[in-house]
Amino acid sequence: MIPFLELSNRLARRNHAVTFVSTPRNAPRLGAVPPELSARVRVVTLDLPAVQGLPDGAESTADVPREKVDLLKTAFDGLAAPFKSFVASRGSNDGEAGDEFSRKPDWIILDFAHDWVMPIADEHKISCAMFLIFPVALLAYIGPKHENEARPRTTTEDYMVQPPWVPFPSNLCYRRYEAEAIARGFRPNASGVSDIDRLLRLHHPSCRLIVHRSCPEAEPRLFPLLADLFAKPVVPAGLLLPGDVVDAAAPRAQDGDGESLAPLMQWLDEQPRRSVVYVALGSEAPVTADHVRELAHGLELSGARFLWALRPPSESDDSGAPLLPGGFEQRVAGRGVVRAGWVPQVRVLAHGAVAAFLTHCGWGSTVEGLFRFGRPLVMLPFVADQGLIAREVAARGAGIEVPRNDDDGSFRAADVAVAVRRVMMANEEGEALSRNATELQKVVGDRVRQDQYVDELVGYLQRYK
């Protein structure tokens, strides 16, 4: 939701009126629209329908365990009817009567999961643009519908090789444990529709543009390939990089539990420059208790200073064992901090004490850590696009991937420790990783060029409506 709101704000700064449609519990999570944009960005909520088995008040993946996510998709599909009524209530674009928000929109900008929007847009003669917040590499790997029908992938091994429609050498392939997870995305889930089928509705005629939170500097050669494969413009919106670090930190002086962030930032202030590895595995990665314990052992073995934004595992652990190894926090006291609450990631990554980022390689975290702040990565990818991102970052010499068991994705503490040391050491390899990350930040994170991508997107919206 955050990249969608960021795009909304940037369009509003270019004098366009944006209605951001969400649900009652999700809307407050977005944070406030900047006051200077309040006349141009309006947030509208539609009630999420109740679905048997889905907890009351659950409106996002943050509210449910992984086994309930498919029920959330079922509830989400129930928004089609109220959304259709909402669109029908918009007036005509003719004349000057009424405010801009009451007029029929020129565009509906949607995520891949909203496959039911296209027929509604058709009925009201509104153009659609699918805005994808994952890297172009994932769409290139998935490929267009006609290629999948002509050359279906039927075995795990089929998902472990570069797709035949990519005509040049690339890192578009998965390890076995990743491939099995990707294959599940091609199969129908409890909602009755597969995630890939939802995505491939972008072939619908009312979808005039495919827009990516990416850019050619971050992903060379892929934009023109996708335009050919999907026979429509594939447009970079830029990376929508985090704004000013002070502004990003300002809304919260404490986490959601009311705990002050001051001691955390004070600890960082006390550390030597470029001496800390920041550790965060995102909110969506399927991290288990075993992963957490192995990672803890690895950080302890590495000897490095670290700040760990620890989220509870996404899968329950019935072993009764403590989440962190016994005595872990006492043994790493002084050089390691574990923070179970919210952490201001942008502010932490910007801090001069931070030298590297141990990450699951989600696209948002990669954009923030590598392209915004030039931090080399220690990489622990889990699902979806994360493996593709990790392979490409490693190929560009800006990160080290922790070795995994190819069958089940497990990893060993000793391998975590080695990867952390390789990135943090002041030797030839460590300096090369840091230098390559800085160079990528200079090229990909050029704010003037990134802003131009939004201007160019507006040009496409004007020409293709």
Side-chain angles (χ1 to χ4, degrees), residues 10 14 215 217 236-242 371-372 441-457:
R10 295 189 188 212
R14 289 159 174 81
C215 63
E217 292 87 353
L239 296 171
L240 305 178
L241 295 165
F371 299 137
R372 172 68 173 90
Q441 185 271 330
K442 289 178 181 176
V443 174
V444 179
D446 183 323
R447 284 192 168 272
V448 173
R449 183 68 188 107
Q450 289 295 319
D451 217 37
Q452 287 174 352
Y453 283 124
V454 182
D455 293 332
E456 291 165 9
L457 170 59

Side-chain angles (χ1 to χ4, degrees), residues 44-99:
V44 169
T45 61
L46 301 177
D47 291 332
L48 193 71
V51 168
Q52 186 174 3
L54 192 66
D56 290 342
E59 294 186 3
S60 83
T61 53
D63 302 326
V64 296
R66 289 187 64 79
E67 63 269 17
K68 301 259 187 195
V69 166
D70 287 351
L71 294 177
L72 195 65
K73 297 172 187 177
T74 302
F76 179 71
D77 290 343
L79 284 172
F83 182 74
K84 182 177 181 178
S85 298
F86 173 74
V87 173
S89 71
R90 303 302 91 192
S92 168
N93 270 324
D94 298 330
E96 299 296 327
D99 66 80

Side-chain angles (χ1 to χ4, degrees), residues 141-381:
Y141 174 86
I142 291 168
K145 187 173 183 179
H146 64 271
E147 290 284 4
N148 280 275
E149 290 173 345
R151 291 177 271 198
R153 290 174 271 206
T154 58
T155 68
T156 299
E157 288 73 20
D158 291 335
Y159 293 92
M160 295 171 64
V161 296
Q162 175 175 308
W165 49 82
V166 179
F168 46 78
S170 75
N171 295 299
L172 297 176
C173 60
Y174 285 102
R175 308 203 193 288
R176 181 173 294 277
Y177 70 93
E178 297 167 332
E180 290 170 352
I182 287 292
R184 288 194 292 272
F186 281 77
R187 297 192 288 267
N189 52 53
S191 70
V193 184
S194 77
D195 292 340
I196 302 303
D197 281 341
R198 290 178 188 270
L199 173 62
L200 292 181
R201 297 288 171 88
L202 52 72
H203 286 290
H204 196 285
S206 67
C207 181
R208 304 286 187 87
L209 301 174
I210 303 169
V211 182
H212 265 280
R213 185 195 184 187
S214 186
C215 63
E217 292 87 353
E219 300 188 86
R221 306 179 73 178
L222 292 179
F223 278 92
L225 171 64
L226 286 180
D228 289 341
L229 288 172
F230 289 91
K232 62 184 67 180
V234 180
V235 183
L239 296 171
L240 305 178
L241 295 165
D244 183 82
V245 174
V246 175
D247 290 344
R252 300 176 73 166
Q254 57 189 29
D255 66 17
D257 296 324
E259 187 177 351
S260 172
L261 295 170
L264 185 78
M265 301 312 298
Q266 181 180 344
W267 180 85
L268 268 182
D269 291 341
E270 294 167 352
Q271 305 312 305
R273 180 170 175 77
R274 300 187 67 81
S275 66
V276 174
V277 58
Y278 171 58
V279 182
L281 298 181
S283 58
E284 299 291 325
V287 178
T288 67
D290 284 341
H291 290 145
V292 171
R293 295 180 193 117
E294 211 65 26
L295 179 55
H297 280 305
L299 290 170
E300 184 176 352
L301 286 172
S302 74
R305 290 181 172 87
F306 64 88
L307 168 57
W308 186 0
L310 175 62
R311 290 182 180 271
S314 57
E315 299 178 12
S316 58
D317 176 29
D318 299 323
S319 70
L323 184 57
L324 293 173
F328 169 75
E329 291 186 82
Q330 290 75 24
R331 291 193 299 274
V332 300
R335 72 170 176 90
V337 171
V338 179
R339 173 78 176 198
W342 178 79
V343 171
Q345 181 159 296
V346 171
R347 188 175 172 190
V348 168
L349 286 168
H351 198 285
V354 173
F357 183 14
L358 195 161
T359 173
H360 63 307
C361 283
W363 190 231
S365 289
T366 303
V367 165
E368 291 177 356
L370 180 58
F371 299 137
R372 172 68 173 90
F373 296 112
R375 307 304 187 202
L377 307 182
V378 180
M379 301 180 289
L380 263 177

